[in-house]
Every structure is written in structure tokens, then in C-alpha cells.
Amino acid sequence: MRPFTYDAPDTVADALDALAAAGPGAKFLAGGTTLYDLMKLGVEAPPAVVDVHRLPELSQIDSTGTDELVFGAGARMADVAEDPVVTRDYPALAESLAKAASQQLREMATVGGNLLQRTRCTYFRHGEPFACNKREPGSGCAAIGGLDRAHAVLGTSDACIATFPGDWPVALLAFDAQVDVLGPDGARTVALADLYREPGQRPDLETTLRPQELLLRIRVPATPTGRGSTYHKIRDRESYAFALASAAAAVALHADGTVADVRIGLGGVATRPWRAAEAEQALLGQPLTAETARQAGEAAFAAARPGRENGFKIELGIRTVADALRIAGERATR
């Protein structure tokens, strides 16, 4: 047993004060579906946890605005996935949540906590005797040259090839989402694209959050491409499995059928939520056909670096992008 203290403040301000008072290593606790798991594995050993999951300031959902959708970081995944505006106008967002976990987990897990979940790399989760630069910087990466079937082919380094496991952040990235955070230095807004770090030589530094900062809300700019969108997820089994490859695609078409706007995010294949900018550029102004969708997928994986067992992800990822674009294109013409 590893003892730790527990505090459940009543306001965001009190939560920040409580975390600061608890000292180095203290953690915010929301739904607990990630933090408790990591504590049991010995990956995390906070001396104190500050429970923020009951704070009304963090649980609000506002999908009625004309400029943006706003999701409190403490809102439940199930509540956001079932919001009528989200399901109707932004199916990629709803689908990324609905396909992310079991209903029981979605009823407890928060959308903010989901952004900060850590990799499911078995070497990271097992620990000793396996080397892992995420757990112990400088110790090495047992996945490189090891069992790497589920690992990344994009954004890797010679220090880490662990895959980012999330679905929701991939869809948010495609819609240019931002997050509001608050910490000892005040409030700031971070583009989701700038929230995550590639591993480089410090895989243990996974986000650009500063010490003691708390996610407050997620903001998604309103866009007509939302209706022509999908989250397409390929996995070993249909239910409750992490993606081998996934794609969030959103498309708007001109009257002549050429692509006016397109957004593509990739999951299951990269070390962070991955925006396929090259694929988007390849499609703009082109007719959306099986051939151009395939070409976009190929552009998305042009820089892929396969390992020993995960080379299949390149072709799988290309097909996933192409299929997602086909589904999104059909929805865009309804």
C-alpha cells in the first residue's frame, strides 16, 4: 500500500490552492479511470490527490452557441456523446466518444481527463525489468526492436515509439479545438495541436501543461464541416478495444463536388494525436473519389517509419483514411 491524502474542494480556486499546498507530485483526480489504474500499476504514486469531479464549474456543456461548442473538462464522456447538437452536427465528436470505451466507463470518465490519458504500451505499463523512457528517462525503450505491433509509425523517435491511445482528442484536433487552463501563473488558452509533445529525447514530457495547471474547458469552433464528418476506428475487436488505426474526417464540398474544406486527424498510429495536413492539402480542390481519397491516405503516411511488426499499419491507415473520407463525403451531400 502507498498512502496518499485526499481532498475534495468545492471550487476551482480551492482546488488549485489544495494542489499547491499538497506539494510536488500531487495530482488532480476527475473520473479516476486513468489515474487509479496508473497508481495500481506503480506508474503514478502521488502523495496527494485533489478530487475535482464534483465541481459544477467544470461540468457544463454548451452546444447552443453560434461561434463555438464549449465542454467543461469535468463533463462526462457519455453526456457529451449523447448531446443532441453534437450527435446531429458533429458526428465525428460523438462517435469518437461512443467508440472509446464501455458505457460504464463513459458514465464516469471525463472529457478533460480523456485528453490526458497515457499510453497503453505494455512495456510502459509493466515496468521493470523492461526499459521505458516514459517511466524512467534515459533507461531506454524496450519496444524498439521488441513487440511493437500496436506501436506508432508516425512521430516516433529513437527514444520512444509508444502510441497515443485516445479517440476523442483525434476528433477534436480535426476541428481545431482549444483548451482553457488555469494555474499558478493565471489562465491561458492552448490550441489542442500545441497541447501534446512528440517524444523526442524526453518521452516522459507528454504535454505542454505547466506544473499545477488544471484543464477547465474544451472549445470547438463551429463549422459547417461538422455535419459531413465521421470517426472511423479499426481495432482487433468491435467493442472496447484501442485503435490499430483510426481517422477523424470532416468534409465540405462545392456544388460541383470538389472539396472546399477537409480536416483529417489520425489515431492509433502516432505518438500523439496526429493532424494529416499533407492529406488535407492533397484533397483541396479535388473531386472526392475513391482514387483521390486513397491518394490522401498515402500522403498521410508518406513519412511513416514502421518497426518490426507494425508495418501493416501503413496500408491499414491508408485504407482507414480513405474509408473515413468516403463516409464523411456521403454525409456532406445529405
Side-chain angles (χ1 to χ4, degrees):
M1 298 291 292
R2 296 183 178 91
F4 60 91
T5 62
Y6 172 86
D7 194 1
D10 296 322
T11 68
V12 166
D14 288 343
L16 291 170
D17 289 343
L19 194 80
K27 297 287 184 179
F28 288 118
L29 171 70
T33 59
T34 291
L35 181 59
Y36 283 151
D37 193 22
L38 295 176
M39 289 170 69
K40 288 186 287 186
L41 292 169
V43 176
E44 298 280 4
V49 295
V50 178
D51 191 341
V52 297
H53 92 274
R54 295 184 181 88
L55 299 183
E57 300 161 87
L58 300 183
S59 62
Q60 298 174 355
I61 300 172
D62 184 0
S63 58
T64 62
T66 58
D67 296 328
E68 63 181 8
L69 310 176
V70 182
F71 307 109
R76 304 298 174 201
M77 290 172 60
D79 293 336
V80 175
E82 295 163 8
D83 180 88
V85 175
V86 174
T87 56
R88 183 190 68 220
D89 294 342
Y90 299 85
L93 296 180
E95 291 167 355
S96 69
L97 290 168
K99 295 178 180 180
S102 69
Q103 184 66 32
Q104 293 93 328
L105 281 175
R106 294 197 300 271
E107 292 289 348
M108 191 63 191
T110 65
V111 292
N114 188 264
L115 295 182
L116 302 179
Q117 62 183 304
R118 305 190 70 185
T119 183
R120 260 57 182 185
C121 171
T122 52
Y123 298 106
F124 166 77
R125 293 172 72 81
H126 191 284
E128 294 182 353
F130 301 110
C132 176
N133 287 316
K134 280 185 178 293
R135 290 183 69 134
E136 185 177 344
S139 64
C141 176
I144 297 177
L147 301 176
D148 64 0
R149 177 179 180 270
H151 286 69
V153 296
L154 292 168
T156 60
S157 72
D158 59 6
C160 184
I161 59 171
T163 307
F164 180 82
D167 300 294
W168 165 246
V170 174
L172 289 173
L173 184 67
F175 287 113
D176 298 317
Q178 299 178 314
V179 295
D180 294 335
V181 301
L182 182 64
D185 297 326
R188 64 189 183 106
T189 297
V190 181
L192 194 77
D194 297 327
L195 178 64
Y196 300 99
R197 301 174 185 264
E198 291 182 27
Q201 296 305 305
R202 288 296 307 271
D204 56 308
L205 302 178
E206 297 174 342
T207 75
T208 58
L209 288 178
R210 299 168 185 167
Q212 300 181 1
E213 281 190 326
L214 174 65
L215 280 176
L216 298 180
R217 66 189 65 87
I218 300 158
R219 296 189 285 112
V220 181
T223 171
T225 61
R227 287 207 173 194
S229 71
T230 190
Y231 184 73
H232 191 45
K233 182 176 181 179
I234 307 301
R235 42 198 162 167
D236 282 325
R237 63 178 188 271
E238 181 63 22
S239 298
Y240 320 141
F242 295 99
L244 289 172
S246 66
V251 174
L253 302 175
H254 291 298
D256 63 359
T258 58
V259 175
D261 191 8
V262 58
R263 294 103 178 282
I264 303 170
L266 303 179
V269 294
T271 54
R272 50 164 290 165
W274 196 265
R275 186 74 177 261
E278 297 84 1
E280 295 171 355
Q281 289 300 313
L283 267 182
L284 283 174
Q286 300 296 316
L288 183 54
T289 65
E291 181 180 2
T292 59
R294 167 81 192 189
Q295 290 170 353
E298 290 172 348
F301 285 86
R305 294 177 19 174
R308 191 179 74 172
E309 298 176 338
N310 63 357
F312 74 95
K313 283 193 172 190
I314 297 176
E315 177 62 24
L316 180 65
I318 291 170
R319 296 186 184 190
T320 302
V321 169
D323 285 348
L325 288 169
R326 174 184 56 80
I327 297 168
E330 291 173 353
R331 291 177 176 177
T333 58
R334 290 177 185 171

